[in-house]
């Protein structure tokens, strides 16, 4: 059969599946470091880097899909199960496990989605009609067999010194399909103590790699959130500067209008001064010849009016000069975006 080992880690399960007679085995894991170890352990397996929650395979690609000790790492177990079912052939079989939170040790930060046996059964049966549940028990085994056995697999009768009740099953396993299930009996795996020690050492190494990867993801998430906050602050600042720019443009237009009015008023007063100044000069000689009181009064009146007009012109010119020299245009230019 074509077998997918989804969440293969360092490839121990992939190697066992190939040894058990699979036509081909594909192992998938998100960690390239784990896959490098897996490739050296099982060279006959095709290993692919990818996300368990977004399987990079076409529909119906595999006859058997195995997902052991991986589902609990997914943030969304339901969409992950949908993906596992999607890549199964129409008559394919799914094997999926989950830690039993009632038994499994608490506090693993990499297990956001542990499911009880009942929860796993409900989630799988909602997607595949044929289902059988198994419970994985951890036992110390003493095996009595002929030496040598000459095979990795052989029939053996298992005798349990105590009943296999709830409380000894850290993992539950669902076996499911769209069609009637083949016969799946209970089985056990045995290994020499030295092999178990080596597996324990490798598990610690893999957990260390996973912890490092998660730390990098957390740092990247913090950096991303910081960049988003900076972007939002920059957008707010741009909006504020745009508003200020529009206000300054309006103020500048108003100042230009005031300046234009002042210039026109200055020109009008200059013309008035010219028209009023000439009669004074014309009258002055006659005044010397004619000392009449009414002529002197008229001339003094014209002189006062002339002085007031000249003072008004100076006042307007000062206001105009102040408007021109206030630096308003330069301030606007500095505040405009892109300056």
């Amino acid at each position: 059969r074509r077998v997918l080992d989804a969440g293969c880690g360092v490839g121990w399960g992939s190697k066992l599946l190939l040894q058990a007679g699979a036509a081909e085995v594909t192992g998938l894991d998100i960690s390239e470091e784990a896959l490098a170890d897996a490739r050296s352990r099982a060279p006959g397996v095709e290993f692919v880097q990818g996300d368990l929650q977004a399987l990079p395979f076409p529909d119906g690609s595999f006859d058997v899909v195995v997902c052991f000790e991986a589902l609990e790492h997914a943030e969304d177990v339901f969409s992950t199960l949908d993906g596992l079912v999607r890549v199964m052939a129409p008559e394919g079989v799914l094997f999926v496990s989950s830690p039993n939170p009632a038994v499994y040790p608490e506090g693993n930060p990499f297990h956001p989605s542990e499911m009880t046996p009942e929860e796993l059964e409900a989630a799988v049966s909602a997607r595949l009609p044929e289902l059988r549940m198994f419970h994985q028990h951890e036992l110390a085994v003493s095996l009595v067999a002929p030496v040598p056995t000459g095979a990795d697999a052989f029939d053996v009768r298992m005798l349990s010194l105590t009943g296999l009740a709830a409380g000894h099953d850290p993992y539950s396993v669902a076996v499911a399909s769209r069609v009637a299930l083949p016969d799946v009996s209970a089985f056990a795996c045995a290994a020499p103590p030295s092999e178990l020690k080596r597996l324990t050492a490798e598990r610690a190494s893999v957990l260390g790699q996973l912890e490092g990867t998660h730390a990098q993801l957390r740092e990247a998430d913090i950096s991303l959130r910081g960049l988003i906050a900076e972007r939002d602050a920059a957008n707010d600042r741009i909006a504020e500067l745009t508003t200020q720019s529009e206000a300054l443009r309006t103020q500048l237009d108003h100042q230009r209008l005031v300046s234009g009015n002042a210039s026109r008023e200055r020109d009008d007063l200059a013309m008035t001064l010219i028209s009023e100044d000439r009669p004074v000069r014309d009258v002055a000689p006659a005044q010397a010849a004619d000392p009449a009181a009414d002529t002197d009064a008229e001339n003094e009146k014209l002189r006062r009016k002339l002085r007031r007009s000249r003072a008004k012109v100076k006042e307007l010119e000062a206001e105009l000069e102040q408007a021109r020299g206030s630096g308003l245009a330069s301030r606007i230019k500095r505040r405009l975006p892109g300056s």
Side-chain angles (χ1 to χ4, degrees):
R1 297 173 187 256
R2 302 166 298 167
V3 181
L4 171 64
D5 186 7
C8 63
V10 294
W12 280 102
S14 303
K15 180 180 179 180
L16 292 173
L17 289 165
L18 190 64
Q19 290 175 345
E24 58 184 59
V25 177
T26 301
L28 176 133
D29 201 271
I30 198 169
S31 170
E32 184 56 45
E33 291 83 357
L35 291 179
D37 193 0
R39 292 186 182 101
S40 64
R41 176 170 290 103
V45 175
E46 179 186 3
F47 290 102
V48 177
Q49 185 179 20
D51 190 345
L52 182 65
Q53 300 177 93
L55 297 176
F57 306 111
D59 296 355
S61 299
F62 302 99
D63 303 307
V64 175
V65 175
V66 176
C67 183
F68 285 163
E69 299 194 30
L71 185 65
E72 60 270 22
H73 294 277
E75 293 290 343
D76 186 346
V77 292
F78 302 108
S79 65
T80 302
L81 286 171
D82 290 338
L84 295 173
V85 173
R86 178 185 63 81
V87 299
M88 285 173 49
E91 297 184 358
V93 181
L94 171 67
F95 292 78
V96 60
S97 74
S98 174
N100 180 359
V103 179
Y104 193 87
E106 298 180 359
N108 192 324
F110 307 115
H111 287 189
S113 304
E114 295 180 359
M115 306 177 75
T116 65
E118 295 76 17
E119 290 171 340
L120 180 63
E121 181 177 6
V124 176
S125 63
R127 291 160 175 81
L128 296 170
E130 299 293 329
L131 171 68
R132 186 175 177 190
M133 292 296 296
F134 290 82
H135 300 271
Q136 179 177 331
H137 300 267
E138 292 183 346
L139 303 173
V141 176
S142 177
L143 176 64
V144 180
V147 179
T149 61
D152 292 333
F154 48 88
D155 293 333
V156 62
R157 181 175 178 228
M158 174 72 72
L159 174 65
S160 177
L161 300 182
T162 61
L164 300 180
H168 299 280
D169 51 338
Y171 281 90
S172 50
V173 181
V175 182
S177 178
R178 299 183 183 91
V179 298
L181 288 169
D183 182 31
V184 182
S185 60
F187 64 93
C189 289
S194 58
E195 186 75 5
L196 293 176
K197 290 179 181 178
R198 187 159 69 91
L199 285 171
T200 301
E202 290 201 10
R203 183 176 185 273
S205 174
V206 172
L207 287 177
Q209 294 174 6
L210 286 173
E211 184 175 358
T213 302
H214 279 269
Q216 293 176 359
L217 288 174
R218 286 193 295 270
E219 292 177 1
D221 182 65
I222 292 172
S223 298
L224 178 60
R225 292 178 185 274
L227 289 174
I228 292 174
E230 291 178 4
R231 180 204 64 187
D232 293 341
N235 288 337
D236 292 342
R237 183 58 178 161
I238 289 173
E240 179 185 352
L241 289 175
T242 301
T243 302
Q244 293 178 1
S245 171
E246 294 300 325
L248 289 172
R249 287 181 188 276
T250 302
Q251 187 177 351
L252 178 59
D253 292 340
H254 176 72
Q255 194 62 39
R256 284 173 175 167
L257 180 61
V258 171
S259 176
N261 292 338
S263 297
R264 286 190 293 273
E265 188 172 348
R266 180 201 61 187
D267 294 341
D268 292 343
L269 286 173
M271 294 301 297
T272 301
L273 286 174
I274 293 172
S275 63
E276 292 180 352
D277 191 29
R278 184 175 295 121
V280 173
R281 289 195 299 270
D282 293 342
V283 170
Q287 178 184 341
D290 184 7
D294 56 344
T295 301
D296 292 338
E298 182 65 25
N299 286 340
E300 182 61 27
K301 184 178 180 181
L302 289 173
R303 288 188 185 95
R304 285 196 301 270
K305 188 173 183 179
L306 178 60
R307 285 193 295 271
R308 287 195 301 270
S309 297
R310 286 175 175 171
K312 182 64 175 177
V313 169
K314 289 183 179 179
E315 180 183 344
L316 290 172
E317 287 179 341
E319 290 182 3
L320 178 60
E321 184 62 27
Q322 182 180 2
R324 289 176 173 172
S326 63
L328 180 61
S330 62
R331 291 204 308 274
I332 292 173
K333 183 178 180 181
R334 288 196 302 271
R335 299 297 292 276
L336 288 177
S339 298

